[in-house]
Amino acid sequence: MTDGKRLHGATVVIMLLTRLRDFIIPIIIAFFIGSTGGGIGLFAMIALPLLLVFFGIYSFLYWWTYWYRVEDQELHVKQGIIVKKHRYIQRKRVQSFDMSAGILQRMFGLVKVQIETAGGGSEPDVHLIALDRAEAKRLRQNLLAKPAAPAEDEEVDPSEMTEGEEAEELEPEIEASWALGFKHLLFAGMTSGGVGLVLSAVLALFSQVDVLLPEAFYETTIGFVLSSTITFLLIAIFLIAFFAWLISIAITIVKYGQFTVVKRGNDLVISRGLLERKQLTLKVHRITAVRFVTGILRQPFGFTTIYVESKGGGSADEQQSTILVPLVNRRKANDVLGKFLPEFVVDDDVGIKPLPRRALFRYIIRAIVPIVLVVIPLSIVLPFGAYALLLILLGIFLGWLRHRNGGFNVSGDYLILQWRLFNLNRAVLPRKRIQAADVTQSPLQRWRRLSTYSVSILSSMSGKSFEIRDITAGRGEDLLAWYSKEVDNPNFSREEEKDKSPI
């Protein structure tokens, strides 16, 4: 391909800086280890310059050999320094167009583009590291928007149109918009539950640099902890958790700052981020399900998060889903959802059919088994480990809560599933978007006259499944008949119904 387009020339610098950023911790460790002899070390004198030259040459060759173009309703990408790779993506197969600007892209006034198709896996099908913003918008229009038909008497060749003309003509009017205010953003950070992730990141970082710490540090620290009182240790744990909580708030603000959703015709444009500004475009008709996720900390205040499942557009840190609204009062959630996806609005009065009482024991067992496997060894090894056995009571409560909040219902052509692991989830799935439905029974379930009902939909990866465990066997068969259109409205009235959803 000789008449395609290259990425922006700043790609070379951005790739070089990205590689150095990815290797910064190993480089620092190797630098200090190489300096133990008293000088600057062999690594700093030889290895580091060679590493910089290698990354520089690789980045240049990557940019030099990467081409792309759109023609004949296809996106054609050619890449590869040694092994050449050609990729053709039909325009109608493009599921999402993610345009973002990280710190490195912002330094040059550029954007990064990720293009996904259904079934493309966890990584985007096309990753354009640096493009001029106008070029990125033109590419998005070429791939997603329906081209305007030229008048018969003035046929225009698209290649002759200027960048501004093409973008303005194809961009539809804004039909609806929603923005996350700062108060809600701050509350979202305070209740995000990201403390555990921050602590995990700190421990992972510590595991990378512990070789630099002297052995005396470990001996002093462990001796100090063992000699401390319970009160001091509790205060120390509280302070660590408090600072981790503050960090998680800051991360949420940076990640979801300036969050806006705009609907233009068949497109949902979701923008967010303070440092790295992301803009994701989803096709409305490719959204397969909507989920309301209510965190434990948010539930007492009546707030929830709205996710959408789409054939393309999901991210790994959001379980391959996409956040449509980060935080909204549950009573107003349907109003906000109705502005963008009115076909997914199901009245809360529909209610949830509860799980049978005979399933409660199974939910409790499933909740306490992982806890028992951890706390019993701790109770034997640690001096005060016996207190950890109290966590079993917490497991019993969690199992009871999962059973109490689990349920399902059918409203016309929509299936509603509700379950809880820790957060409370409620999914709304149109029957026409469900790819498959299954009812399974284990021997114990058969003995207890229970079953598990599961459905599969298309999402950003190959697919996603939702299930509700331990419903009565008869209701599982009713749901299967509803999916196969043998009945339009299953008769669930013979068993008790929950009047109101807890979310």
Side-chain angles (χ1 to χ4, degrees):
M1 182 167 60
T2 57
D3 54 349
K5 294 182 179 179
R6 281 200 178 98
L7 303 175
H8 194 278
T11 299
V12 179
V13 180
I14 292 175
M15 285 193 65
L16 176 60
L17 295 177
T18 302
R19 291 285 181 266
L20 293 177
R21 183 190 62 188
D22 295 340
F23 283 88
I24 189 66
I25 291 179
I27 288 175
I28 291 175
I29 293 175
F31 181 83
F32 280 99
I33 291 177
S35 303
T36 53
I40 58 177
L42 187 64
F43 175 80
M45 291 182 62
I46 300 178
L48 185 57
L50 288 178
L51 201 61
L52 290 173
V53 171
F54 172 77
F55 285 155
I57 294 175
Y58 174 81
S59 301
F60 174 78
L61 292 177
Y62 180 90
W63 169 79
W64 183 258
T65 58
Y66 198 109
W67 296 82
Y68 72 95
R69 67 180 176 188
V70 179
E71 65 175 13
D72 298 332
Q73 304 298 313
E74 285 184 334
L75 172 64
H76 182 196
V77 176
K78 176 185 177 183
Q79 65 181 113
I81 298 173
I82 299 176
V83 179
K84 302 298 181 184
K85 180 179 180 181
H86 293 262
R87 169 163 285 183
Y88 292 86
I89 297 177
Q90 293 184 6
R91 177 177 153 178
K92 61 182 179 182
R93 302 298 182 190
V94 175
Q95 305 294 338
S96 71
F97 190 98
D98 190 352
M99 191 167 63
S100 61
I103 295 177
L104 296 178
Q105 280 81 12
R106 283 188 176 186
M107 289 170 55
F108 300 95
L110 306 173
V111 296
K112 177 176 62 180
V113 169
Q114 297 182 15
I115 300 170
E116 292 186 356
T117 62
S122 57
E123 297 294 329
D125 295 274
V126 177
H127 185 193
L128 306 176
I129 295 174
L131 288 182
D132 182 82
R133 186 174 293 274
E135 167 64 15
K137 288 184 178 179
R138 186 167 60 254
L139 183 60
R140 182 177 63 183
Q141 294 295 337
N142 285 335
L143 295 176
L144 296 183
K146 183 178 180 181
E152 295 181 356
D153 56 346
E154 48 179 300
E155 186 173 346
V156 178
D157 186 348
S159 63
E160 298 176 354
M161 298 175 67
T162 64
E163 297 177 358
E165 288 174 347
E166 190 174 0
E168 289 178 4
E169 286 182 6
L170 295 177
E171 190 148 75
E173 296 287 334
I174 295 177
E175 298 178 12
S177 63
W178 182 89
L180 180 66
F182 181 76
K183 289 183 178 179
H184 283 72
L185 175 62
L186 181 61
F187 184 77
M190 296 170 63
T191 57
S192 66
V195 177
L197 295 178
V198 174
L199 290 176
S200 301
V202 171
L203 292 175
L205 180 63
F206 181 78
S207 66
Q208 295 292 322
V209 301
D210 61 345
V211 295
L212 302 176
L213 301 177
E215 191 172 335
F217 173 80
Y218 290 97
E219 296 175 354
T220 305
T221 303
I222 293 175
F224 178 75
V225 170
L226 294 178
S227 62
S228 301
T229 63
I230 288 292
T231 304
F232 179 84
L233 292 176
L234 290 177
I235 293 175
I237 293 173
F238 171 78
L239 289 177
I240 292 173
F242 178 72
F243 283 111
W245 180 61
L246 293 180
I247 293 174
S248 70
I249 293 174
I251 291 174
T252 302
I253 291 176
V254 170
K255 188 176 180 181
Y256 296 108
Q258 299 181 357
F259 192 105
T260 59
V261 187
V262 173
K263 185 177 183 181
R264 294 177 182 271
N266 193 38
D267 294 341
L268 285 179
V269 182
I270 303 172
S271 306
R272 69 185 190 189
L274 295 181
L275 293 181
E276 183 178 6
R277 189 69 179 159
K278 292 187 175 182
Q279 187 178 82
L280 174 65
T281 303
L282 294 177
K283 290 292 185 183
V284 171
H285 69 274
R286 288 169 179 163
I287 292 176
T288 54
V290 169
R291 280 192 299 133
F292 300 90
V293 180
T294 306
I296 292 178
L297 298 178
R298 293 174 182 173
Q299 189 170 345
F301 301 97
F303 284 92
T304 190
T305 301
I306 303 177
Y307 287 79
V308 294
E309 310 292 344
S310 174
K311 292 181 281 186
S315 60
D317 58 345
E318 294 170 1
Q319 294 81 46
Q320 303 303 330
S321 302
T322 301
I323 288 184
L324 179 68
V325 177
L327 188 75
V328 64
N329 191 296
R330 185 62 184 91
R331 291 174 298 179
K332 300 179 181 177
N334 277 344
D335 296 336
V336 176
L337 182 63
K339 296 169 65 175
F340 305 104
L341 300 168
E343 63 273 26
F344 283 89
V345 175
V346 175
D347 200 326
D348 287 338
D349 293 337
V350 171
I352 295 295
K353 305 296 181 186
L355 300 173
R357 293 182 182 277
R358 58 180 180 275
L360 175 60
F361 180 73
R362 291 174 57 82
Y363 272 80
I364 291 177
I365 291 296
R366 277 196 290 265
I368 65 173
V369 165
I371 298 176
V372 168
L373 294 177
V374 174
V375 300
I376 288 183
L378 291 179
S379 65
I380 299 173
V381 175
L382 297 180
F384 304 100
Y387 290 103
L389 295 175
L390 295 175
L391 293 176
I392 295 177
L393 297 177
L394 183 63
I396 294 175
F397 173 73
L398 185 60
W400 172 81
L401 202 60
R402 289 174 181 173
H403 175 268
R404 181 175 181 272
N405 293 153
F408 65 94
N409 207 344
V410 168
S411 176
D413 286 330
Y414 292 85
L415 172 67
I416 307 163
L417 298 181
Q418 183 167 291
W419 72 96
R420 176 194 290 277
L421 186 59
F422 294 99
N423 297 331
L424 188 59
N425 292 264
R426 186 174 191 182
V428 178
L429 304 116
R431 178 161 55 183
K432 63 182 179 182
R433 299 295 185 191
I434 297 175
Q435 299 296 311
D438 298 285
V439 173
T440 57
Q441 270 188 318
S442 67
L444 289 178
Q445 282 181 318
R446 194 175 300 116
W447 173 55
R448 299 292 293 169
R449 291 174 288 114
L450 301 172
S451 64
T452 297
Y453 181 73
S454 62
V455 295
S456 302
I457 60 170
L458 289 176
S459 67
S460 57
M461 299 181 68
S462 57
K464 182 174 284 188
S465 296
F466 301 99
E467 68 176 21
I468 184 73
R469 292 180 173 183
D470 297 331
I471 61 177
T472 59
R475 286 185 168 182
E477 295 299 325
D478 290 342
L479 288 175
L480 211 54
W482 169 82
Y483 174 69
S484 61
K485 297 185 178 181
E486 294 177 5
V487 296
D488 291 331
N489 294 298
N491 180 17
F492 297 132
S493 60
R494 58 184 178 275
E495 296 195 34
E496 185 181 2
E497 176 182 352
K498 286 182 181 178
D499 295 329
K500 189 176 182 180
S501 169
I503 63 173

